[in-house]
């Protein structure tokens, strides 16, 4: 059977014949190839413009056209004009950062788009008299669509023919019971066939179809909120204003101190200070962390449609679950048969197995067949299930006729199948079982051989067959895990509250008193009170689901909503995180932030773990970047206050940034981290990074001044003396600028300790990472080529002196860490 287009050959012949539902339908020719082509040419196709990722152009713009790239780009051009190419290394970092961001997002885009394509549904259409399987997006206006058991209804239309067609409309209404449909009935996209077959013409497709109209409404709502991204955007706004204020100060102070050596020296020194204020890798690493988490989750069959959703689920403290399709698989499961008086249990089981041994079994018999083995009885007559009569039957050679159907229908047969007292006792048992959330059908026997769909006159009740909704095997373990993590569960369904409560008990939830939502008021305060005291709600309308989400959010909760039906779509979109099942309605999947492609609820802990990893690791690297910004600001202001050149050349800060921030941050951002979510992301960063960076800035200036006095050079003559003695035109050309080398050693010492603090608790891979970075820093001083390139010259006495100043700064960083309980607590909860 082909699935790739409408131009392939037929899967069935064109003659009239029986359909899978057991009846005979006329077989119209459907559209011709020319008619299909005409509709495609005018856009009457069942497609939408939804997408799961940004376009390539958007990816490039987002990674290149940033405010900080503009600042660094302008500084890079100015430094290049001076001819000091070694001091323009930060420009290379700028290009590499942008390139990495573009490549990472493009690779993630390809994977996400491929997943979305692979999960695209297919539809049977009749074209040129042949039944073909085409992508659902290839269905055109007026296509003749054939429906069989298990099919999704891809577009709206009116039934032309029906052979016992029953649709599961839980996606639209929340009701789990199938609804029969006959010729002339309107059917909606987003429903699915549970039994029978039928044909209809697609009258409303694409954006006009019901489910897609809901999806379009849902798309109007705001995108996923990310505390990380909000906090970082706030930081970037502050830093932008700091740069605006610091830039003229840097230029003025350097003009005062090194202006006699020409504009080139002023540009280089000023650029060094401003470059230190730009967190050039922070946004990149945050994006990369989100992207790689999304790609990692795709390997576990979780499609992330909005990257911040990875973080968002880790912040959730209330999960609202729809029953059908979330806690249950949307299918019924055979539970058992309660034998009635005088009947043989073994014969009852054989009869059920024989009835279920039917190629056109409905949902009930399919559930029985999954558990009860067929005895091999010879079937001589079959009366298929029909929704209007609500029973099915089969005759077997040399055995009784067996009837299976709704108790209220079979017990009301005329003449009555048993004495009145017996009938009333059976009805009481049926009511008791139904109140526990079970679905009950009656198995009866007759000695008549059926010739038509007329109920036999001598039926005798034999057993009550109970079925339950098939609970997902992973649901209980997943809910137990969420409860351990402090996440509150609310079950919100459109089904009967008794049924919903029974399923909830099966998965181990504390149900309490289930609530019929039809009796709830519209007032938000009343809803908040009901949600605070109850866990299970039935008969909830789509509008009420949205209201429930809003009420929980108004109470300060971060809410996730799971579901698979169209009736869940708007609530999913309004929730902080919407989670859709892979077998759910297209409208629901279109608006959800996360799609569980294989429908396994057990993936939620994986997403939660990824979110925690992202939050914890981004907090680590954000501390590193912000500490560097604080250090640069203090150094700029101190240099201006005491009228000395800025302590570093741009190449010095490039070295320090690479070995203490850039490279370590990349590994730390992608490493494991199991810390639970803690609110106050931005506050913790500011409480640790700003004072730690200020300590580093003071230590740098102190080291710079001590180095100069040790060599008998007054602070205001550092640059001039060095340039004259070397005979060089600019400080950037000489290797005798020892005060700057000492300041670099001090800065490396302090920042390595900041790195050690942020890497806690230590693991072997972190120790190896820090040791490797220290080795790179030592190499930059010890290897002559690197020392010359980075303009480093540090005699042994200066090394010890600078290390001592750095050690004092590192000690103060440790004190800051220990005096910040919230920061320290967050560290202890890490991996």
């Amino acid at each position: 059977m082909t699935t790739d287009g409408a131009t392939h050959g037929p899967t069935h012949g064109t003659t009239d014949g029986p359909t899978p539902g057991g009846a005979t339908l006329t077989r119209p020719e459907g559209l011709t190839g020319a008619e299909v082509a005409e509709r495609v040419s005018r856009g009457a196709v069942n497609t939408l413009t939804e997408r799961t990722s940004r376009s390539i152009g958007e990816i490039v713009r987002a990674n290149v056209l940033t405010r900080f790239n503009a600042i660094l780009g302008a500084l890079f051009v100015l430094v290049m004009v001076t001819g000091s190419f070694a001091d323009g290394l930060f420009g290379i970092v700028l290009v590499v950062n942008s390139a990495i961001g573009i490549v990472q997002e493009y690779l993630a885009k390809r994977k996400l788009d491929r997943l979305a394509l692979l999960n695209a549904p297919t539809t049977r259409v009749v074209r040129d008299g042949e039944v073909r399987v085409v992508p659902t997006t290839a269905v055109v206006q007026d296509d003749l669509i054939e429906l069989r058991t298990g099919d999704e209804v891809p577009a709206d239309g009116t039934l032309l023919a029906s052979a016992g067609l029953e649709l599961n409309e839980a996606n639209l209404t929340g009701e789990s019971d199938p609804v029969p449909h006959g010729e002339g009935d309107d059917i909606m996209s987003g429903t699915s066939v549970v039994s029978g077959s039928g044909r209809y013409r697609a009258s409303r497709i694409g954006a006009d179809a019901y489910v897609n109209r809901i999806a379009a409404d849902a798309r109007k709502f705001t995108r996923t909120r990310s505390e990380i991204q909000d906090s970082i955007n706030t930081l970037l706004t502050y830093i932008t204003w700091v740069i605006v204020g610091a830039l003229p100060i840097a230029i003025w102070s350097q003009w005062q101190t090194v202006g006699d050596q020409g504009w080139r020296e002023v540009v280089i020194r000023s650029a060094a200070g401003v470059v230190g204020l730009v967190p050039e890798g922070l946004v990149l690493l945050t994006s990369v962390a989100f992207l790689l988490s999304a790609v990692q989750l795709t390997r576990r069959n979780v499609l992330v449609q909005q990257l911040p959703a990875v973080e968002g689920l880790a912040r959730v403290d209330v999960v609202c679950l729809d029953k059908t399709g979330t806690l249950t698989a949307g299918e019924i499961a055979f539970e058992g048969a309660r034998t009635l008086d005088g009947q043989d249990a073994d014969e009852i089981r054989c009869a059920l197995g024989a009835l279920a041994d039917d190629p056109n079994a409905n949902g009930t018999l399919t559930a029985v067949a999954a558990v009860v083995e067929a005895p091999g009885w010879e079937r001589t007559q079959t009366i298929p299930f029909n929704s209007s009569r609500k029973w099915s039957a089969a005759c077997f050679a040399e055995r009784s006729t067996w009837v299976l159907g709704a108790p209220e229908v079979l017990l009301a047969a005329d003449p009555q199948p048993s004495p009145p007292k017996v009938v009333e006792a059976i009805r009481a048992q049926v009511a008791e079982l139904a109140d526990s959330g079970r679905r009950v059908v009656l198995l009866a026997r007759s000695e008549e051989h059926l010739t038509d769909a007329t109920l036999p006159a001598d039926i005798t009740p034999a057993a009550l067959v109970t079925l339950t909704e098939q609970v997902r095997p992973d649901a209980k373990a997943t809910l137990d895990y969420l409860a351990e993590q402090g996440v509150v569960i609310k079950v919100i369904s459109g089904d009967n509250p008794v049924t919903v409560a029974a399923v909830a008990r099966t998965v181990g939830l504390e149900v309490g008193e289930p609530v019929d939502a039809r009796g709830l008021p519209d007032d938000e305060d009343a809803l908040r009170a009901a949600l605070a005291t109850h866990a299970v709600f039935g008969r909830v309308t789509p509008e009420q689901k949205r209201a429930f989400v809003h009420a929980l959010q108004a109470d300060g909760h971060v809410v996730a909503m799971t579901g698979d039906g169209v009736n869940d779509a708007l609530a999913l979109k309004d929730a902080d995180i919407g989670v859709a099942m892979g077998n759910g309605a297209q409208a629901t999947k279109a608006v959800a932030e996360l799609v569980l492609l294989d429908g396994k609820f057990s993936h939620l802990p994986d997403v939660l773990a990824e979110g925690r990893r992202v939050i914890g690791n981004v907090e680590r690297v954000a501390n590193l970047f912000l500490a560097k910004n604080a250090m640069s600001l203090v150094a700029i202001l101190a240099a201006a206050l005491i009228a000395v050149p800025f302590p570093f050349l741009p190449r010095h800060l490039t070295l320090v940034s690479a070995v203490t921030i850039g490279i370590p941050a990349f590994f730390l951002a992608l490493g494991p981290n199991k810390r639970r979510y803690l609110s106050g992301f931005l506050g913790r960063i500011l409480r640790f990074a700003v004072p730690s960076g200020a300590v580093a800035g003071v230590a740098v200036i102190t080291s710079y001044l001590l180095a100069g006095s040790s060599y008998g050079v007054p602070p205001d003559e550092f640059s001039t003396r060095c340039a004259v003695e070397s005979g060089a035109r600019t400080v950037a050309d000489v290797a005798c600028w020892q005060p700057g080398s000492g300041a670099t050693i001090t800065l490396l010492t302090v920042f390595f300790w900041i790195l050690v603090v942020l890497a806690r608790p230590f693991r072997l891979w972190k120790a190896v990472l820090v040791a490797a970075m220290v080795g790179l820093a030592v190499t930059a001083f010890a290897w002559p080529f690197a020392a010359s390139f980075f303009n480093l010259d540090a005699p042994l006495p200066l090394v010890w002196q600078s290390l001592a100043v750095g050690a004092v700064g590192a000690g103060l960083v440790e004190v800051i860490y220990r005096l910040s309980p919230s920061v320290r607590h967050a560290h202890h909860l890490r991996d």
Side-chain angles (χ1 to χ4, degrees):
M1 183 177 291
T2 57
T3 60
D4 54 347
T7 60
H8 295 275
T11 59
H12 294 280
T14 61
T15 59
D16 292 353
T19 69
T24 298
L25 296 177
T26 56
R27 301 174 74 85
E29 294 296 305
L31 298 178
T32 65
E35 290 171 328
V36 171
E38 185 273 331
R39 284 161 174 77
V40 170
S41 68
R42 59 184 170 90
V45 185
N46 195 38
T47 57
L48 287 173
T49 57
E50 303 295 351
R51 55 184 180 169
T52 59
S53 59
R54 296 193 286 191
S55 68
I56 294 176
E58 289 172 329
I59 291 172
V60 172
R61 286 194 295 272
N63 284 277
V64 174
L65 303 181
T66 68
R67 74 183 86 175
F68 292 121
N69 277 0
I71 294 170
L72 288 176
L75 293 173
F76 174 73
V77 170
L78 288 174
V79 171
M80 290 298 97
V81 170
T82 69
S84 182
F85 300 113
D87 287 311
L89 283 176
F90 66 88
I92 298 175
V93 174
L94 181 153
V95 174
V96 171
N97 278 350
S98 296
I100 290 174
I102 292 170
V103 171
Q104 291 282 10
E105 186 165 354
Y106 173 68
L107 293 176
K109 168 189 167 58
R110 287 184 57 190
K111 190 170 186 68
L112 297 177
D113 288 350
R114 192 181 306 120
L115 272 172
L117 181 62
L118 289 175
N119 284 274
T122 58
T123 298
R124 291 183 185 85
V125 296
V126 181
R127 292 177 180 174
D128 294 318
E130 300 174 348
V131 179
R132 300 172 179 176
V133 177
V134 300
T136 298
T137 53
V139 171
V140 300
Q141 184 88 34
D142 301 322
D143 243 333
L144 180 60
I145 296 173
E146 180 170 291
L147 297 175
R148 301 181 189 174
T149 301
D151 287 350
E152 297 287 330
V153 178
D156 302 348
T158 303
L159 275 174
L160 301 178
S162 170
L165 182 71
E166 293 188 346
L167 299 181
N168 179 349
E169 298 184 347
N171 279 345
L172 306 182
T173 65
E175 288 280 5
S176 58
D177 291 332
V179 179
H181 285 277
E183 182 179 337
D185 286 354
D186 288 333
I187 59 176
M188 296 286 193
S189 52
T191 59
S192 59
V193 181
V194 292
S195 66
S197 61
R199 287 189 176 179
Y200 76 104
R201 289 202 182 276
S203 58
R204 292 180 295 279
I205 62 173
D208 293 330
Y210 177 72
V211 293
N212 294 329
R213 293 202 304 272
I214 288 184
D217 288 341
R219 283 290 185 194
K220 297 175 183 177
F221 298 117
T222 57
R223 297 182 67 83
T224 305
R225 175 185 172 272
S226 165
E227 183 184 6
I228 289 178
Q229 291 184 335
D230 289 349
S231 298
I232 288 176
N233 287 337
T234 300
L235 277 176
L236 297 182
T237 301
Y238 293 157
I239 291 171
T240 300
W241 287 110
V242 169
I243 291 173
V244 169
L247 181 58
I249 295 175
I251 294 173
W252 174 81
S253 67
Q254 298 313 298
W255 183 263
Q256 295 296 313
T257 55
V258 296
D260 56 336
Q261 297 193 36
W263 66 271
R264 291 183 175 84
E265 206 58 43
V266 174
V267 168
I268 292 173
R269 297 287 180 169
S270 301
V274 177
V275 165
L277 290 173
V278 179
E280 64 273 9
L282 179 56
V283 176
L284 169 71
L285 281 174
T286 303
S287 299
V288 168
F290 278 139
L291 281 166
L292 295 187
S293 290
V295 172
Q296 178 67 24
L297 287 171
T298 61
R299 301 191 183 111
R300 300 172 186 173
N301 283 311
V302 178
L303 177 62
V304 180
Q305 301 198 113
Q306 292 191 34
L307 293 180
V310 176
E311 167 216 342
L313 193 62
R315 296 189 290 109
V316 164
D317 60 356
V318 175
V319 174
C320 296
L321 303 175
D322 179 47
K323 173 184 68 67
T324 306
T326 303
L327 294 181
T328 66
E331 302 171 354
I332 55 174
F334 172 71
E335 183 183 58
R338 181 180 292 188
T339 304
L340 299 176
D341 291 342
Q343 302 297 320
D344 180 75
D346 290 338
E347 186 181 18
I348 294 298
R349 192 167 184 86
C350 288
L352 285 171
L355 284 170
D357 186 20
D358 182 351
N360 295 319
N362 63 6
T364 298
L365 291 177
T366 299
V368 173
V371 178
V372 182
E373 185 177 353
W377 292 0
E378 181 184 349
R379 183 186 294 256
T380 59
Q381 174 71 8
T382 299
I383 304 297
F385 179 82
N386 181 280
S387 297
S388 59
R389 60 174 175 265
K390 294 187 182 298
W391 59 267
S392 62
C395 304
F396 302 94
E398 300 180 0
R399 297 183 185 276
S400 300
T401 293
W402 293 89
V403 182
L404 187 68
E408 63 271 20
V409 173
L410 300 186
L411 293 176
D414 187 19
Q416 204 165 39
S418 296
K421 287 186 178 181
V422 174
V423 170
E424 288 305 316
I426 295 174
R427 284 176 174 156
Q429 292 184 60
V430 171
E432 178 188 353
L433 292 169
D435 285 343
S436 66
R438 294 174 173 87
R439 187 172 298 177
V440 186
V441 292
L442 177 64
L443 178 66
R445 66 191 308 161
S446 169
E447 301 310 319
E448 291 186 18
H449 190 280
L450 302 181
T451 57
D452 56 28
T454 302
L455 198 64
D458 66 337
I459 62 170
T460 301
L464 292 177
V465 179
T466 56
L467 302 106
T468 60
E469 289 197 75
Q470 187 174 336
V471 176
R472 292 184 181 273
D474 54 358
K476 186 178 188 308
T478 304
L479 293 179
D480 288 345
Y481 173 83
L482 293 175
E484 290 172 4
Q485 304 303 311
V487 178
V488 176
I489 306 297
K490 303 290 181 184
V491 183
I492 301 173
S493 173
D495 213 340
N496 187 299
V498 174
T499 303
V500 179
V503 172
R505 290 190 191 96
T506 303
V507 295
L509 291 178
E510 291 291 335
V511 173
E513 183 67 26
V515 177
D516 189 326
R518 291 174 296 185
L520 290 175
D522 295 332
D523 180 65
E524 185 176 280
D525 290 335
L527 286 180
R528 289 165 62 182
L531 287 163
T533 55
H534 294 83
V536 174
F537 299 83
R539 302 296 186 202
V540 185
T541 66
E543 292 74 19
Q544 282 181 313
K545 289 186 178 184
R546 294 178 69 188
F548 280 19
V549 169
H550 295 163
L552 288 166
Q553 290 171 330
D555 244 354
H557 295 293
V558 181
V559 182
M561 176 79 191
T562 71
D564 67 340
V566 174
N567 62 321
D568 301 321
L570 296 178
L572 259 67
K573 192 58 184 178
D574 278 8
D576 296 282
I577 298 294
V579 183
M581 299 298 163
N583 58 351
Q586 287 298 110
T588 309
K589 291 188 284 187
V591 303
E593 286 81 14
L594 300 170
V595 180
L596 308 182
L597 295 175
D598 56 5
K600 289 186 177 179
F601 195 42
S602 57
H603 291 313
L604 283 186
D606 295 333
V607 183
L608 187 66
E610 280 297 319
R612 288 178 172 177
R613 190 176 69 80
V614 168
I615 291 175
N617 289 342
V618 169
E619 184 172 325
R620 278 174 168 157
V621 300
N623 273 290
L624 287 171
F625 285 102
L626 189 58
K628 184 193 76 167
N629 302 150
M631 179 280 301
S632 294
L633 180 60
V634 170
I636 288 172
L637 296 177
L641 185 63
I642 61 178
V644 296
F646 188 74
F648 306 109
L649 298 175
R651 67 189 77 178
H652 294 145
L653 287 181
T654 297
L655 171 65
V656 174
S657 295
V659 298
T660 67
I661 301 173
I663 299 174
F666 182 82
F667 287 98
L668 289 175
L670 304 180
N673 195 321
K674 299 178 182 178
R675 189 193 80 182
R676 288 192 182 188
Y677 167 73
L678 296 173
S679 60
F681 175 87
L682 181 59
R684 283 193 302 278
I685 292 173
L686 294 174
R687 282 193 293 274
F688 176 76
V690 172
S692 296
V695 165
V698 172
V700 160
I701 292 296
T702 302
S703 177
Y704 188 67
L705 295 174
L706 287 175
S709 62
S710 298
Y711 289 88
V713 181
D716 59 349
E717 296 182 17
F718 283 171
S719 300
T720 305
R721 181 77 60 87
C722 193
V724 170
E725 289 176 355
S726 66
R729 289 177 299 171
T730 68
V731 177
D733 296 324
V734 302
C736 64
W737 192 62
Q738 293 168 338
S741 300
T744 302
I745 293 172
T746 298
L747 184 59
L748 284 167
T749 304
V750 177
F751 263 81
F752 272 129
W753 195 255
I754 292 175
L755 177 61
V756 167
V757 167
L758 294 174
R760 293 173 183 168
F762 248 61
R763 298 288 182 267
L764 178 60
W765 70 271
K766 296 177 188 174
V768 171
L769 174 64
V770 174
M773 295 301 100
V774 172
L776 284 177
V778 172
T779 301
F781 282 84
W783 185 23
F785 173 78
S788 174
F789 182 83
F790 285 106
N791 208 351
L792 299 170
D793 180 26
L796 195 57
L798 178 62
V799 171
W800 290 117
Q801 176 179 289
S802 302
L803 285 174
V805 176
V808 173
L812 292 174
V813 168
E814 183 69 24
V815 171
I816 293 169
Y817 169 70
R818 295 188 178 279
L819 291 178
S820 303
S822 61
V823 176
R824 192 169 67 255
H825 177 61
H827 281 63
H828 286 317
L829 292 176
R830 286 179 177 156
D831 55 344

